Amino acid sequence: MLCQPSVFSHRRVIRAQASLRSRIGFRDRASLRGRLAVHSSIGLGRAHIAPLLGDFAQAHTDLELSHLPLHVAGTPYDFAVRVGRLPDSRLHARLLHPNRRVVCAAPGYLERREPPRTLPDLADHDCIVIRENDIDFMNWRFGDDGDESVVRVAGTMISNDGDVATAWCLAGRGMVMRSLWQVAPLLRDGSLVRVLPGIPAPPADIYALHAAVHGLPRRAREAIEHLLDGLAARLPAID
């Protein structure tokens, strides 16, 4: 199941905040002016960040959304949207939405290959891997923070585009580890099947990162609140 009470509570709080802001906090948004520069990965940016910030920018500010290599401190970006582990403790982080990664495969692949039961079984499977954020992309992490297991997977298909990797998985060419924000609809409709469901991956939450608190422009603070509300409405609750 893709829900839990704590996340529902989190979402109710967000909706209450959104209602309050709509009544008393957003009346003067017409006064927001200036350029808003935001960094995001391609997949999440295309699916959710760009539509949400597009609505925000149309009424309130100029917008630049980029996926180019990121170092928030010392760059012209107002903030970055990041999925997963925070790269730099000097940055300020705002949780936008809880998220986890899961391993999944197409039903056709699992008909041809015995589904893995344990982490060592992954060595016998074709794993589609995604290269991103300059991390060791062949390592898949499982367990909770502080009690993790790392499995080095093997496969002949590698991409730096998560949508491409997901398409390969849907075509039955291997298993992939993807964020629930992206594959939850495919799991619900049966296009993909969750593999090793009893072994969770560490949290891969969605954050807004920025280099300063007091120096963050009001337009950026309002944009982060807009993303917080919008992602709560667009993305599923997770376990």
Side-chain angles (χ1 to χ4, degrees), residues 196-207:
L196 298 171
I199 306 177
D205 297 330
I206 303 171
Y207 290 93

Side-chain angles (χ1 to χ4, degrees), residues 143-185:
D144 292 316
D145 287 337
D147 184 22
E148 291 187 6
S149 297
V150 179
V151 178
R152 189 162 184 85
V153 298
T156 60
M157 307 189 78
I158 300 171
S159 177
N160 64 354
D161 188 324
D163 289 341
V164 170
T166 302
W168 287 341
C169 184
L170 286 166
R173 295 175 181 170
M175 301 188 303
V176 71
M177 178 178 275
R178 295 293 286 131
S179 283
L180 274 172
W181 73 256
Q182 205 253 359
V183 298

